[in-house]
Amino acid sequence: MSAKTLTEKILSRASGKDVSPGDVIEAKVDLVAFHDLTGYHVIEVMEKANMIKVFDKSKLVIAFDHLAPPPDVRSAEIQGYIRKFVKSEGIPNFYDINYGILHEVMIEQYANPGQVILAADSHTTTSGAVGAFAQGMGASDIAAALITGKTWLVVPQPFKVVLEGKPAKWITGKDVALKLLGDFKADYFNGMTLEIFVKDPLSFPMDYRATVSNMGIEMNADALMFIPDQETKRYIKEMRGYEPELVTPDNGAKYVDEYTIQLDEMEPLVAAPHSVDNVKVVNELEGTPVDQVYIGSCTNGRLSDFEIAAKIMKGKKVKSRCIAIPASYRMFKEALERGYIQTLVDAGCIVTYGTCGPCLGGHFGIAGPGENIVSTSSRNFKGRMGSNEAKVYLSGPAVAAISALEGKITDPRVI
Amino acid sequence: MIIEGPVIKFGDKIDTDIIIPARYLKYTDPQYLAQHVMEPLDPEFYKKASKGVIIVAGKVFGMGSSREQAAIALKAAGVKAVVAESFARIFYRNAINNGLPVITLPNSTKEIDENSYVKIDVETGEILVGNKVLKGKGITEMALEILQAGGIMEYLKKMQTVNRN
């Protein structure tokens, strides 16, 4: 057997044969997940096919986040329908509206290095932060995986990214994700996986990794995985109390290409409307008026995001409307204990937890016509956060926080 | 499988928030979804598509969300197939799972004009425009079996029957 990349290693184990890029395989799945908005559709597909049967109840994770708390009767109806399924099928891993966003639940509680994880949401790639091959799929594919415990895949071409050095001031995972999008554009990694090797593991913590993996789908990669290392071990031990087994690529494994990012030379980046790959250095957009700022989502709703926002907002008042949403109860509570929430509330932000609302233009902060939004979420597609005539700028937490204070897009390096 | 019809053209990076905005995702009824398909770019699209059309688009058609409603809405509106330079992986699967043929063709938007009439062989990927034959990538292997079965769930039922016999 030749030297294998992480992608090939995971998919060889999952399919029980020695795989190479381009192979069409049937892979066993380790975890399947869905949330409220896609979950009802998954169950509907199973019902219509008369195949309400989950291959292994312990391997299904359900979290309510998109319609949480329900903004209308239909949303409440959808959640009620799923609660009924949870009860009738006896699904143990269920998180109602009071826990958090599915992808955050997955990395905090379930995802392990080397696993194959499928969920009915595109940002499933987030679990790549801990070195899992994690893909989003539609309702029918997820229903089929839930019934059989398997899925079919085309083995992607692995591409290696090396992160070197320590991040420059205010640089976090979002800037790395935006750099990859700006340098390669949204179509380049189609049919590929990204495997990210962090030279100095502790310089790039799990929060940052989760953001980059999350946006792997914006790069149209099949999966984006951080090669598991001591930071992966540290994180899972801290969150769940055990040390995971690390799955890593073999020495001499072959990649289609390799790309290095120097973290210490990076500048804060922003994706301008209406495309995730329309990436600019923040000072090119300085002075753009901002009506609303959103700090949160499965992309940037973690503790380090709130730490940065609190550092910047301490003792000041926001000029733009600012909505801040930690990605889970755990994140909210920790941010509360550390005083970050107090600081944000004192600065004039609205803070809650457990919803995806604003990110997808669902509820809790819809953009109106002509408004400019700075958001730490994952997408700035036309109409994404509400009106087709709104403009969404994507940034990391530092740019978002300082822009909320100034009421216009601002370079955090002025601080 | 041969499909034919007039062409409606779109550019690169047609994302799922364009195909079907999130506010409609609380429903899965194809006819309801069809009325809102492509709404951010062209609120009249479903009327134009109703007679049966073929979409020709550029790079990563269907990028973004996993919402299967994107494929359901296009098909219900009357779109018979999508020809694009490349497809987002999730959308590609959702299309197959809902019986919407997807054909990959490099330079598709340069090779095919708006309103031209095309004839497509879904398996070989051959596209006939006037007297020009373009060589696209059709649907092969497992995806073709799933498409022919009428989607992944139908495929699964068939497999279970086969395995039982």
Side-chain angles (χ1 to χ4, degrees):
Chain A
M1 254 196 288
S2 54
K4 288 202 161 350
T5 61
L6 184 57
T7 306
E8 289 155 350
K9 235 178 185 176
I10 295 173
L11 296 181
S12 291
R13 181 196 53 82
S15 64
K17 60 179 190 186
D18 199 11
V19 308
S20 304
D23 292 354
V24 180
I25 59 161
E26 203 171 55
K28 276 193 192 157
V29 295
D30 298 291
L31 287 168
V32 183
F34 57 66
H35 51 64
D36 39 7
L37 188 58
T38 55
Y40 88 96
H41 196 178
V42 175
I43 300 168
E44 214 176 69
V45 170
M46 291 166 84
E47 272 183 349
K48 268 189 198 151
N50 206 13
M51 285 198 256
I52 292 269
K53 175 192 82 166
V54 177
F55 80 105
D56 183 343
K57 286 171 197 169
S58 69
K59 291 181 176 172
L60 169 61
V61 181
I62 303 172
F64 287 172
D65 53 16
H66 278 56
L67 308 172
D72 51 33
V73 175
R74 175 62 183 153
S75 301
E77 187 179 40
I78 287 171
Q79 291 187 345
Y81 178 66
I82 300 172
R83 279 189 202 102
K84 234 166 89 188
F85 168 83
V86 166
K87 213 171 162 195
S88 68
E89 299 306 302
I91 308 297
N93 308 314
F94 168 58
Y95 299 84
D96 211 307
I97 63 164
N98 58 350
Y99 191 81
I101 300 177
L102 176 65
H103 309 302
E104 178 62 16
V105 173
M106 293 302 281
I107 61 163
E108 285 184 11
Q109 314 264 11
Y110 295 98
N112 270 311
Q115 288 182 323
V116 175
I117 300 176
L118 304 182
D121 188 280
S122 60
H123 291 108
T124 304
T125 51
T126 313
S127 287
V130 298
F133 182 93
Q135 287 195 332
M137 285 186 186
S140 294
D141 272 323
I142 294 301
L146 262 186
I147 293 162
T148 61
K150 288 184 283 189
T151 194
W152 72 277
L153 298 168
V154 181
V155 178
Q157 298 275 352
F159 181 105
K160 188 173 178 180
V161 175
V162 179
L163 300 186
E164 241 176 39
K166 288 192 167 42
K169 199 169 184 199
W170 305 122
I171 297 301
T172 62
K174 187 56 146 283
D175 304 287
V176 171
L178 293 177
K179 172 139 183 77
L180 286 166
L181 279 161
D183 288 357
F184 288 93
K185 299 298 169 192
D187 61 314
Y188 187 84
F189 295 115
N190 215 341
M192 293 187 204
T193 47
L194 283 94
E195 293 184 17
I196 302 194
F197 172 63
V198 185
K199 266 208 167 154
D200 176 5
L202 298 180
S203 71
F204 208 72
M206 194 51 69
D207 279 12
Y208 295 7
R209 297 178 185 206
T211 306
V212 183
S213 297
N214 174 280
M215 292 191 71
I217 187 63
E218 310 315 326
M219 300 165 207
N220 278 288
D222 274 22
L224 190 156
M225 298 176 280
F226 277 80
I227 294 169
D229 56 23
Q230 62 187 103
E231 168 62 5
T232 321
K233 254 189 191 170
R234 183 205 64 76
Y235 175 79
I236 293 178
K237 178 115 203 253
E238 186 191 311
M239 284 297 187
R240 302 175 220 161
Y242 64 82
E243 274 198 6
E245 205 178 304
L246 300 188
V247 182
T248 52
D250 295 327
N251 282 331
K254 267 203 147 81
Y255 289 87
V256 275
D257 209 346
E258 195 174 315
Y259 187 71
T260 299
I261 294 177
Q262 296 290 345
L263 296 173
D264 39 15
E265 290 168 12
M266 284 188 68
E267 299 190 86
L269 300 174
V270 176
H274 294 288
S275 185
V276 283
D277 58 6
N278 188 14
V279 175
K280 300 176 191 301
V281 175
V282 62
N283 56 27
E284 290 178 62
L285 294 163
E286 261 198 299
T288 308
V290 174
D291 300 287
Q292 181 178 301
V293 168
Y294 172 41
I295 300 169
S297 83
C298 61
T299 315
N300 279 95
R302 298 191 177 79
L303 204 60
S304 63
D305 300 299
F306 282 79
E307 185 183 357
I308 290 168
K311 206 182 262 179
I312 291 171
M313 289 190 184
K314 184 124 194 124
K316 305 208 169 82
K317 292 276 180 208
V318 292
K319 283 192 186 129
S320 313
R321 307 190 302 269
C322 183
I323 298 166
I325 306 181
S328 71
Y329 170 73
R330 192 169 190 152
M331 289 293 118
F332 183 89
K333 206 160 170 285
E334 185 84 31
L336 195 65
E337 277 161 16
R338 295 193 189 192
Y340 305 154
I341 305 266
Q342 184 73 50
T343 302
L344 263 57
V345 170
D346 288 344
C349 303
I350 301 173
V351 189
T352 181
Y353 73 94
T355 188
C356 300
C359 169
L360 71 152
H363 58 111
F364 211 82
I366 303 294
E371 290 193 328
N372 288 340
I373 313 289
V374 170
S375 173
T376 64
S377 63
S378 53
R379 290 186 178 135
N380 60 350
F381 301 162
K382 197 176 166 73
R384 172 73 182 178
M385 292 183 76
S387 169
N388 290 330
E389 278 76 50
K391 287 181 176 163
V392 182
Y393 296 82
L394 299 178
S395 80
V399 172
I402 186 85
S403 300
L405 288 180
E406 300 295 329
K408 57 189 184 198
I409 294 180
T410 304
D411 187 337
R413 290 171 297 183
V414 297
I415 303 168
Chain B
M1 197 192 294
I2 307 288
I3 284 165
E4 53 189 302
V7 167
I8 294 184
K9 251 168 88 164
F10 290 98
D12 288 339
K13 297 188 278 186
I14 297 299
D15 62 67
T16 46
D17 281 276
I18 289 172
I19 301 173
I20 189 80
R23 59 185 166 278
Y24 304 118
L25 301 182
K26 290 172 197 162
Y27 299 91
T28 51
D29 172 39
Q31 290 319 311
Y32 169 78
L33 294 168
Q35 288 171 34
H36 301 287
V37 71
M38 295 289 185
E39 201 173 76
L41 285 188
D42 181 3
E44 301 293 301
F45 176 80
Y46 79 99
K47 285 184 193 156
K48 297 178 196 161
S50 65
K51 287 183 194 111
V53 294
I54 287 165
I55 286 183
V56 171
K59 289 174 183 161
V60 282
F61 186 90
M63 67 187 245
S65 162
S66 67
R67 60 189 73 160
E68 197 158 317
Q69 286 96 330
I72 295 172
L74 285 169
K75 196 181 173 206
V79 175
K80 290 180 176 171
V82 183
V83 178
E85 265 182 57
S86 62
F87 289 91
R89 180 188 54 84
I90 306 175
F91 177 84
Y92 190 89
R93 294 180 74 111
N94 286 343
I96 302 288
N97 287 342
N98 285 282
L100 176 67
V102 270
I103 292 91
T104 312
L105 176 74
N107 295 318
S108 52
T109 52
K110 286 186 195 111
E111 300 270 18
I112 305 172
D113 295 326
E114 175 94 15
N115 295 325
S116 55
Y117 196 88
V118 297
K119 219 173 188 180
I120 302 169
D121 184 325
V122 174
E123 283 155 56
T124 63
E126 255 176 24
I127 304 169
L128 193 70
V129 195
N131 46 20
K132 190 165 69 170
V133 181
L134 304 169
K135 191 78 192 112
K137 185 174 171 286
I139 297 165
T140 52
E141 296 194 64
M142 197 135 171
L144 182 64
E145 287 172 39
I146 293 167
L147 182 74
Q148 282 168 340
I152 187 84
M153 297 305 281
E154 292 306 314
Y155 174 76
L156 215 58
K157 279 192 223 164
K158 212 177 100 191
M159 289 306 286
Q160 288 196 337
T161 318
V162 171
N163 290 340
R164 247 181 256 132
N165 292 341

